Each structure stands twice: as C-alpha cells, then as structure tokens.
C-alpha cells in the first residue's frame, strides 16, 4: 500500500509519563519511520505509514498508553510526503500556547519497589528511586514542558549509568526527569530539633528513633510530615500536646493493605483507592481500639499507604504504622523548606531532610467512599493540578481566586479549567504568600494572562482584596463577582459536564448572600447564566458573629431566644447550662438589638446548634467537629423525622428544635435530625423534574450523604472536586454572568 506522511497531535497528561518511549516502542512494532516530540500543547508525532497501519497505530496509542498517561484527544492529518530514515525521539518544541497537562506526583511503582528491596540492584534501598512510571512530578516543576532543566533535579548531574538509562528509548527510565542513584541523586541527612546535622547511619537510625518514641519531621514529596510510631500512645499524646491538637483526628501510614486491614474495615472500592497510584488518605471505619488515640472522638480513621520509596523503607523496617500529619503552623500551609519548618522546632525532635528542593508544595489528598461514590475532601497530591474539560468554550481567559477557606485557585481558557491543588485557609501573611505563589505557578506554567478576574461576593475575603488590587493595577480587563453557593453548584455542573438547568441543594457553613446575609441552606434552580433562589432555611442570628462559628452554643442560644425570648433564662438544657445567668441576660440584649449578630441560613451552623442543644459540643476545637460527633451518634434503626414549616420560600426549623428539646434520647434526636434534613430536601424538590445536584461543605457528612442517596439514588454529587470550598474556583470560572469592565477609561 502507498505510504503517506501523517501528523498526529495528542493532548492530555502525556508528558513526564513515559509517553515518548511508548510511542518509540510502537514504532518498532509497526516498523514505522518518523519522529515524536513534546510540545507545549502535548505530544506530536510525524510518521510515514499506510492507512491500515495508521488505524492500528492510533488504536494502540489510545488503548495501550502508559498507566500515568491520560489522553484527552488524538487528532491526525495527512501532509506532503516527507522522507524519514528511521524513527527518532527529538528535542522538545517550545512554540505556541501551553495547554499540556501538568503531571501530578504519584506513588512508587511495582518495578521500582522490587528494585528498592533487591539487594543485588544498584539502587537497593535508595530512598529516591524512580522511573517514568512513578515518582515526583508537579512538586519539582518550575515550568512546562516537563524536562529536567525545568525541575529542581537540574542541580544533580547524572552519573554515567543513570545517563545511559536516561538516553535509552527502550529503558523505562528514558527521560525520567528525577532519575538518580546513590552516586548522583538526592541524599538524606538527619538533623536535630534546631536543624543541626547529627549522626546518621541510614534508615535504621530513624527507625530506632521512632521506636524510642521520638517525633520526626520527614521531608516528603510536597512538604514535611510530622511522624511518630502510631502505636506508641506516649508519642502520640506528646505530639498532640506540642501541636496543640487536642482531639482532631490524625492519619496513619501503613506498610500495605494487609496492615491496613488490621486497623480498619475496607471494602473493594476503598482498597482500590488505597492502592492506587495517587495513594490518598482514605477515611475508613476503624475495627480496633489499638489506635483510638489517633481518632479519639470518631470511629473513623484516616489511612494511607507509603507513596515514596523513603516512606516504604521506613515502614518496611519498623513494621508498625506511622502517625503522619502535615507539618504546618496552625492556619498556614504545609512547610516545604527548613526555614518554614523551624517554626515548629518545639514540636519535632529530629528532621529527616533531603537536598531535592520542593518547588510546589502539595499536601496529601483526603477522601472517603459512601454508597460506592468517592467524595474528595482535599484534592492535592496525586490528583492535582487537575484539568477539567468544559462543555463550552470560554470567551476570555479567567483567573478565579476561590474562597477564603480550603481555597484553591483556577485558570480557565478555551474549553478547559486548570484547578490548583488544595492551598488552605487565608488567615496569615505566610498563607497569603503561598496563595499568591500558586497563582504565579499556574500563570507561568501555562503562559497565562488573565483577562477576567472572578471572585467571591464576600466583601471582606482576602481573595476580594487581591481582586481589587489586580483591578486597580489594570492587570485584568474586567471582573465578575460570583455568589458563593452558585459557585458551589456550578463546580459540580462543570465536573459532570451538565448543560441543562438543575435543581441544586447547597448546604454549607458560610457564604455571603445577595441580600448581605450569610447563606448556607439554599435551594436553587441553576444554569451557567444564573440562578433563582427558590427556598432557604429561615434566617437565625449568629451571636458574636465569627465567634459563633467556633462556639456552637452561641448559635443554639440565639435559636432558643427565637423560640422562647426571656423564658430562656428559666430553661434547663445543655445549652443554657453552658452559660452563666449573667451571660444569658447579656446575650439576650445583644440578640434583641442585633449587635454583632448577623443573620444566617446556614445548615452548617444548624448542625452546630443541634450539637449544643444535645450537649454534644459547645465549643469546637477544630472545624467540622460538631458534624463528626453527630455522625457518630446516628442510629440507622431509628425511624421518623421532626416537624418543620415551609411557607413563602422559607423553611422554619424552630419546630424541629422544639422536638429535639423534648427528646430524652440523644441518639434518637440526632438520628431524627438527619432524617428531617432529608425530608426537607424531599419536600422542596418534589415539584421539580430536574437533575438534583448536591454541593457545599455539609455534604462532607457521610451520614447525610448516605441518607440522601438512599432517597434519591440519581442525585449528583461531585466526585473529583471537593464539595467544600475547594471547588469554588472552578465554579467561579464557568459562571456566565455579566462581567464588569474596570479598564474602559
């Protein structure tokens, strides 16, 4: 058959994943001549072949690609015939707009694990063993394309043996940018608690310290972990005391699935996630009290498997689970260098350091499974950055700034959005610096220039201040303010590529509403062009404003005032008992006058109020504590729900609270509360024949999600984007509301 020259363009995650060697191997199979190279857009192949072989080649590209690759499109066109003598992998082209996906960091592969534990291999016990199928990617990238010169590995000159592997197209380490060995790659160092070098004789030195109950800051892929022996109760309590983390759960890292099953019940879906190349923290049901001190208030425990060779070596030698929690100052991002880590020198005893710079910090991903659906709580290492393909094209380049907590940022162009890894809360100077660095990282990697700035309507968010700065500097042409819960819903619609109007339930903690109140119990009809708020939880007051978010008793007290006014002074329940008479009378005055008592419709705050009324939680030591405690009290055998009212778009929850106060059994009250929330959704949704979309931070509660899915199996939840504020930036990008031109002068 006649030979023709074809140009094949492949987009997606096709760089840094062994794609070019894969193409080279296919060329040998099909006896092809031509070239393959990386470009800012993906991978481009020129090949001489006939039409039948071309079809076979394209099928092989689509279905046999490397495990870490993810193909979005394969396009081909016939060109004028060009003579090629053989098939070559050629130098990266660097022209054109950058659209290639950034490869995420992934866990050690099975081949590298075998070599790591093989005493005859030259990389036996080398803590940074890697190949094109595994290892660091995003955390070491300065810019695309993903070549060694553009990573923090550029400072390590390859030895002869590594260079031979790196340049051999048939070797699985061909162009593995982090390649190295004992002779030429990154090395470990043990430091004391003031970061001075100390005696280090290898992994066993660190294991001995764990066995002595020491707390060690271990430098990983996207930052440091604080680690100790998870079975050593004294070490765990010491860490809690030093980190001032009284009861918030800690995660543990285990050697393998077999060890995980010693501590948790694991279904097939959860096992797949634990063992996946992303290696997230999976929230599981504990099956023993052996590690109860890791999760003192909950029957759930966060578990993950080692994802670096260093972690694997530590666990292989220790043969016990390790407590592993992010090394960070409260309200600040994970530490990525020694300078930041030194702020925690009173927490750790030693530092296991290495000399490969972390360019981009990236925390551990956290998720759980309910009704066989994955719900992402924190999308980070292994899963991010993520590219979301849109069902339409954006008219302009959009930079979305996200929210103020659990924030992410996003850039949108053409028909795609790139969402950053989890950044965190924006409460400190360091967290703001880290946030701005993430913006620059995505802009630099994609040569991205924003034309529209999208941000939350809340006037006091740090993200709003940044938006105003950018507008004042005229670095962007126009702005769009996107209502918080509308953005929540749009994030799910974008993830699922929904194009028709939906019925949305947005149950959340706090979000600035169009009327200036704090929304969070919203029922909306939404499409990308806007929304109609058809119902909401009737407003109640948050006594003390922001203080009420951390003190559920304040929310409960305001609702008691709504119910009983001055009669509250004579009531005897867990909430009133948590205040003195003087406090009750003082707060009643501020309640009546509305001083520092904003109105809210938040279901998140309703959870808080119920927790206080039942004596479960009056003051929270960490975010979401009230919901976790109520989740623990739920009993599936309890039937029925409590009263509530629904008239003129408002859902009256006061009858619900009256019923709870008259209930003597805390378990029954909690269980009926959950059922009442589902009944409210059922009643409001009943007249509509639209897809039911659920979003907002309250839908991180597995009991509520499970009950809603029992009632509405077809309900649509986000699976790759967090239902919490981690998805807000995606929703902000895709909102097709009118933008306001700020630079028309």
């Amino acid at each position: 058959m006649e030979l023709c020259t074809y140009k094949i363009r492949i987009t997606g995650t096709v760089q840094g994943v062994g794609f070019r060697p894969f193409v080279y191997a296919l060329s040998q199979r099909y006896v092809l001549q031509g070239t393959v190279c990386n470009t800012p857009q993906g991978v481009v192949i020129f090949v001489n072949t006939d039409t039948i072989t071309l079809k076979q080649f394209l099928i092989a590209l689509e279905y046999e690609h490397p495990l870490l690759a993810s193909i979005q499109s394969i396009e081909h066109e016939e060109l004028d015939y060009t003579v090629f003598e053989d098939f070559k992998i050629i130098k990266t082209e660097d022209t054109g707009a950058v659209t290639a996906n950034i490869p995420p960091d992934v866990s050690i592969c099975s081949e590298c694990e075998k070599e790591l534990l093989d005493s005859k291999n030259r990389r036996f016990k080398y803590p940074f063993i890697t190949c094109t199928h595994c290892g660091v990617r995003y955390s070491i990238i300065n810019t695309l394309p993903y070549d060694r010169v553009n990573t923090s590995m550029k400072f390590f000159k390859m030895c002869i043996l590594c260079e031979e592997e790196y340049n051999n197209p048939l070797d699985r380490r061909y162009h593995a940018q982090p390649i190295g060995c004992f002779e030429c790659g990154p090395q470990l160092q043990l430091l004391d608690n003031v970061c001075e070098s100390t005696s280090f004789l290898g992994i066993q030195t660190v294991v001995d310290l764990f066995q002595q109950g020491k707390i060690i800051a271990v430098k990983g892929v996207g930052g440091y972990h604080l680690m100790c022996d998870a079975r050593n109760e004294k070490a765990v309590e010491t860490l809690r005391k030093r980190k001032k983390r009284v009861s918030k759960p800690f995660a543990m890292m285990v050697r393998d699935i077999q060890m995980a099953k010693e501590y948790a019940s694991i279904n097939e879906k959860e096992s797949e996630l634990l063992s996946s190349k992303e290696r997230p923290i999976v929230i599981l049901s504990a099956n023993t009290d052996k590690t109860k001190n890791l999760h003192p208030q909950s029957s759930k425990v966060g578990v993950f498997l080692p994802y670096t060779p260093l972690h694997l070596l530590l666990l292989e030698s220790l043969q016990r689970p390790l407590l592993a929690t992010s090394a960070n100052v409260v309200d600040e991002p994970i530490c990525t260098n020694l300078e930041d880590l030194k702020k925690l020198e009173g927490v750790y005893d030693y530092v296991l350091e290495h000399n490969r710079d972390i360019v981009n910090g990236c925390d551990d991903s956290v998720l759980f499974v309910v009704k066989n659906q994955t719900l992402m709580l924190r999308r980070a290492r292994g899963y991010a950055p993520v590219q979301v393909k849109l069902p339409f094209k954006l008219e302009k380049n959009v930079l979305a700034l996200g929210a103020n907590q659990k924030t992410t940022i996003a850039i949108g162009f053409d028909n795609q959005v790139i969402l950053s890894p989890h950044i965190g809360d924006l409460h400190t100077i360091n967290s703001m610096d880290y946030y701005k660095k993430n913006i620059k990282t995505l802009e630099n990697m994609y040569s991205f220039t924003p034309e529209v700035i999208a941000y939350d309507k809340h006037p006091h968010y740090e993200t709003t201040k940044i938006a105003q700065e950018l507008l004042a500097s005229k670095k962007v042409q126009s702005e769009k303010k996107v209502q918080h819960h509308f953005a929540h819903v749009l994030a799910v619609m974008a993830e699922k590529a929904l194009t028709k109007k939906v019925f949305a339930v947005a149950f959340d903690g706090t979000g600035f509403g169009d009327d200036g109140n704090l929304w969070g119990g919203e029922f909306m009809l939404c499409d990308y062009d806007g929304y109609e708020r058809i119902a909401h939880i009737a407003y109640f007051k948050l006594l003390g404003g922001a203080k009420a978010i951390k003190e559920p008793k304040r929310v409960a007290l305001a609702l008691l005032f709504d119910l009983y006014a001055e009669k509250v002074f004579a009531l005897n329940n867990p909430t009133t008992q948590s205040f003195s008479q003087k406090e009750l009378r003082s707060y009643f005055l501020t309640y009546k006058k509305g001083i520092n008592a904003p109105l809210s419709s938040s279901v998140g705050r309703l959870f808080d109020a119920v927790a206080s009324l039942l004596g479960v939680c009056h003051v929270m030591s960490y975010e979401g504590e009230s919901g976790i405690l109520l989740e623990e009290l739920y009993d599936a055998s309890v039937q029925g729900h409590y009263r509530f009212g629904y008239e003129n778009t408002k859902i009256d929850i006061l009858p619900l609270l009256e019923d709870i106060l008259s209930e003597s059994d805390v378990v029954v009250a909690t269980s009926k509360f959950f059922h009442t929330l589902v009944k409210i959704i059922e009643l409001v949704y009943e007249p509509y024949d639209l897809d039911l979309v659920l979003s907002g931070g309250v839908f991180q509660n597995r009991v509520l999600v499970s009950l809603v899915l029992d009632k509405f199996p077809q309900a649509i939840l986000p699976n790759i984007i967090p239902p919490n504020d981690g998805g807000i930036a995606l929703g902000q990008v895709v909102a097709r509301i009118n933008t306001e031109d700020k630079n028309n002068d």
Side-chain angles (χ1 to χ4, degrees), residues 484-510:
H484 191 87
H485 303 96
F486 181 40
H488 267 305
V489 177
L490 291 185
V492 186
M493 293 182 68
E495 176 192 323
K496 303 296 184 181
L498 303 177
T499 56
K500 296 180 180 179
K501 184 172 288 187
V502 303
F503 179 97
V505 181
F507 283 176
D508 200 25
T510 301

Side-chain angles (χ1 to χ4, degrees), residues 140-185:
I140 64 169
I141 296 174
N142 285 294
T143 185
L144 289 175
Y146 177 59
D147 290 328
R148 191 174 177 104
V149 69
N150 294 329
T151 74
S152 58
M153 285 300 297
K154 66 183 178 182
F155 302 108
F156 298 91
K157 181 175 172 55
M158 285 179 277
C159 66
I160 293 174
L161 292 177
C162 285
E163 195 165 13
E164 286 178 356
E165 294 170 324
Y166 183 87
N167 289 317
N168 181 359
L170 298 180
D171 194 290
R172 82 171 199 280
R173 291 191 170 90
Y174 176 76
H175 277 229
Q177 310 306 340
I179 189 174
C181 66
F182 284 108
E183 183 177 337
C184 66

Side-chain angles (χ1 to χ4, degrees), residues 269 273 367-370 372-376 383 718-720:
K269 179 81 169 180
L273 289 164
L367 53 80
F368 68 90
V369 176
V370 59
N372 212 40
Q373 286 204 44
T374 300
L375 262 75
M376 190 76 62
Y383 294 97
N719 300 121
I720 67 169

Side-chain angles (χ1 to χ4, degrees), residues 273-327:
L273 289 164
L274 282 168
S275 304
S276 68
K277 64 183 185 297
E278 292 85 6
R279 297 285 169 94
I281 296 173
V282 182
I283 309 299
L284 304 168
S285 295
N287 61 12
T288 176
D289 289 333
K290 291 178 181 177
T291 54
K292 186 62 179 176
N293 55 343
L294 298 185
H295 49 102
Q297 297 178 313
S298 174
S299 61
K300 305 296 187 293
V301 58
V303 179
F304 60 139
L305 270 58
Y307 52 86
T308 73
L310 174 58
H311 294 141
L312 187 58
L313 290 170
L314 291 171
L315 287 160
E316 182 74 15
S317 182
L318 184 63
Q319 287 297 308
R320 287 162 71 89
L322 283 167
L323 181 160
T325 187
S326 302

Side-chain angles (χ1 to χ4, degrees), residues 440-540:
K440 289 181 180 178
T441 294
L442 286 190
E443 287 182 342
N444 291 341
M445 285 188 180
Y446 285 92
S447 301
F448 177 85
T449 301
E451 297 170 286
V452 179
I453 190 82
Y455 59 102
D456 196 277
K457 282 189 171 183
H458 199 299
H460 303 307
Y461 274 3
E462 294 299 327
T463 49
T464 301
K465 296 176 186 176
I466 290 175
Q468 297 304 323
E469 289 172 6
L470 289 170
L471 290 164
S473 66
K474 299 192 175 183
K475 290 182 178 178
V476 290
Q477 297 174 3
S478 53
E479 65 173 345
K480 57 177 176 178
K481 299 178 185 178
V482 186
Q483 199 280 324
H484 191 87
H485 303 96
F486 181 40
H488 267 305
V489 177
L490 291 185
V492 186
M493 293 182 68
E495 176 192 323
K496 303 296 184 181
L498 303 177
T499 56
K500 296 180 180 179
K501 184 172 288 187
V502 303
F503 179 97
V505 181
F507 283 176
D508 200 25
T510 301
F512 192 79
D514 293 336
D515 57 4
N517 295 323
L518 300 176
W519 294 4
E522 312 309 311
F523 298 83
M524 302 166 143
L525 302 181
C526 295
D527 58 23
Y528 295 103
D529 297 308
Y531 66 92
E532 178 186 356
R533 188 191 193 203
I534 59 170
H536 64 88
I537 300 296
Y539 289 129
F540 51 89

